[in-house]
Amino acid sequence: MRGRKVVAVTLVTLAACSGTALAIELNPLESLGKKIFFDRGLSSPPGQACAACHAPQVGFTGPKPGINKRLAVYPGAIHRRFGNRKPPAAAYAGDSPPFSLDPATGLFSGGMFWDGRATGEVTGDPLADQAMGPFLNPVEQNMADMAAVCEEIAASSYAGLFEQVWGDGALDCGAARVEETYRNIARSIAAYERSAEVNPFSSKFDAYLEGKVRLSREEEWGMELFNGKAQCAACHPAPLFTDFTYDNLGVPRNPDNPFYRMDSVYLDDGTPINPLGEDWVDPGLGGFLATRPEYAALAAENLGKHKVPTLRNVALAPGRGFTKAYMHNGVFKSLEEVVHFYNTRDVAAWPPPEVAVNVNVDELGDLGLTAREEKALVAFLATLSDGYTAPKRR
């Protein structure tokens, strides 16, 4: 089990974090973060907010079924520019600890982004560190610099709220203060992303834990499989359904990833977004570790690993037939496909892994699940969607 701690979902209580889909009142800091999160003016050209890639109706991940189905990776404010990975969920991420190495297990954990590079070293909070990135990323919101973001907020309708939260004069965009102002912008977003509006714990599973509803036979069977035969809880323990570690699952490359075509799309300085084109291979965690002297020696043994995502809202969609993309590169388009891959990766005709080293062979690949067991697992995963309303008794 490579040092992982397994927590059975049936043994977890949520007394401290149970919530409902009823009206949630945000405090001033959370309200400020929400306004920034949904502000479409904080991009160049204007039009792309954080919510463009992290929308509530799908669990704060990519909301456009056409992009999910065809590409999975979302375009930036300049629509011909694409990054390399699909948007991770912004919900249920706030408990991720700062990036670190556990010397006892040899496992890295914490941090934000798929590769952990938002470590928490800048603001003391990985979630806030992550929020600092997209505004200035030329393949995302493409703002010129921290001052440009600050000046847009200073001209916004919520500038007064910013100073109410952070103090008179806190919205200072001058060279001497703009870095701290920018950090407070990011901390505000992180506060919203930690709020009960983003993390309501209002799924059927939560109602079940509170004794308000019973799971169906199939859902309960799926939960038993999740904890046992399918080994899902090894990496996705309740209540957050992630252990914040990193894994190479042997996922195939996504041939439709637009990043492969970014060798012919250029940044303002004349360099191509992806000089390697079709030859690019996602190094995952190993790529980030290679940039850090204290971890560089461990880069090779972590190539291809990506952060374990939460399974909360993994099935959440606004309606039937809505396509979501799964895995770091969006190669799979349904939970049924994901579960079947976990079950049969090593015994069926799947494409080869994008990164063939460091593949987890202990907890997936040949699980021996039947088709009915796969279906039950999917049914249980659907109980993790927020917004559940128990049927009224007659």
Side-chain angles (χ1 to χ4, degrees):
M1 303 300 284
R2 302 182 299 109
R4 296 190 186 276
K5 181 180 180 181
V6 180
V7 180
V9 296
T10 50
L11 299 181
V12 175
T13 61
L14 292 177
C17 46
S18 61
T20 71
L22 300 176
I24 294 170
E25 183 176 351
L26 301 178
N27 65 37
L29 177 59
E30 294 166 346
S31 296
L32 173 62
K34 180 177 181 178
K35 289 182 181 297
I36 299 170
F37 189 88
F38 286 94
D39 189 342
R40 299 177 67 220
L42 300 178
S43 69
S44 179
Q48 186 171 62
C50 304
C53 298
H54 303 280
Q57 66 268 28
V58 287
F60 290 86
T61 184
K64 297 182 179 180
I67 292 177
N68 296 341
K69 186 174 183 178
R70 297 194 309 271
L71 305 173
V73 177
Y74 276 59
I78 296 178
H79 293 323
R80 66 181 179 275
R81 295 180 180 176
F82 288 83
N84 54 11
R85 300 175 184 131
K86 72 171 283 289
Y92 298 102
D95 284 341
S96 184
F99 185 80
S100 66
L101 171 65
D102 183 342
T105 64
L107 296 178
F108 285 92
S109 66
M112 295 295 296
F113 292 120
W114 284 106
D115 59 7
R117 68 187 185 276
T119 61
E121 294 166 298
V122 178
T123 65
D125 176 6
L127 197 58
D129 277 19
Q130 184 278 327
M132 295 176 68
F135 290 128
L136 307 184
N137 191 329
V139 301
E140 294 186 74
Q141 286 164 275
N142 191 46
M143 295 294 280
D145 50 33
M146 291 183 286
V149 180
C150 178
E151 288 162 4
E152 286 294 329
I153 292 176
S156 73
S157 61
Y158 55 88
L161 178 60
F162 193 98
E163 295 209 339
Q164 175 190 333
V165 168
W166 293 106
D168 292 341
L171 197 46
D172 187 337
C173 304
R177 293 284 305 278
V178 69
E179 186 171 343
E180 182 60 23
T181 304
Y182 191 69
R183 291 181 185 184
N184 287 339
I185 291 168
R187 291 176 178 125
S188 303
I189 295 171
Y192 173 63
E193 291 178 330
R194 284 193 173 92
S195 73
E197 182 171 301
V198 180
N199 315 280
F201 291 93
S202 61
S203 69
K204 184 177 182 179
F205 174 71
D206 297 311
Y208 160 75
L209 290 182
E210 294 167 357
K212 296 177 179 178
V213 70
R214 298 185 65 176
L215 300 183
S216 71
R217 288 186 178 181
E218 184 176 49
E219 292 164 348
E220 192 165 11
W221 184 24
M223 183 172 66
E224 293 172 0
L225 292 165
F226 187 96
N227 288 323
K229 184 177 179 180
Q231 301 188 65
C232 308
C235 303
H236 298 279
L240 297 175
F241 291 91
T242 173
D243 63 2
F244 303 113
T245 61
Y246 295 80
D247 245 324
N248 180 1
L249 304 177
V251 174
R253 67 182 256 158
N254 176 8
D256 296 324
N257 187 340
F259 191 68
Y260 294 124
R261 303 191 294 276
M262 292 297 103
D263 54 339
S264 60
V265 179
Y266 296 85
L267 300 175
D268 293 342
D269 64 2
T271 59
I273 292 172
N274 173 22
L276 296 177
E278 289 282 346
D279 294 330
W280 177 77
V281 175
D282 192 337
L285 173 61
F288 167 58
L289 297 181
T291 70
R292 299 292 297 258
E294 70 270 41
Y295 296 135
L298 302 175
E301 64 193 70
N302 285 282
L303 285 172
K305 294 185 179 182
H306 290 88
K307 193 176 181 186
V308 175
T310 179
L311 297 183
R312 283 189 172 270
N313 292 319
V314 71
L316 182 65
R320 292 180 180 271
F322 185 97
T323 300
K324 295 184 78 168
Y326 296 95
M327 321 311 273
H328 67 278
N329 60 10
V331 65
F332 299 139
K333 310 301 182 180
S334 71
L335 278 178
E336 288 81 2
E337 190 176 20
V338 172
V339 169
H340 190 58
F341 174 78
Y342 269 68
N343 183 28
T344 67
R345 181 197 64 197
D346 299 340
V347 293
W350 292 97
E354 179 178 14
V355 177
V357 296
N358 309 317
V359 174
N360 183 340
V361 296
D362 298 326
E363 295 154 336
L364 72 156
D366 183 11
L367 299 176
L369 300 174
T370 67
R372 289 183 62 232
E373 287 173 329
E374 286 188 13
K375 185 171 178 289
L377 263 179
V378 172
F380 171 67
L381 292 173
T383 71
L384 304 181
S385 296
D386 284 325
Y388 173 76
T389 302
K392 294 183 180 179
R393 296 180 180 179
R394 295 183 178 179

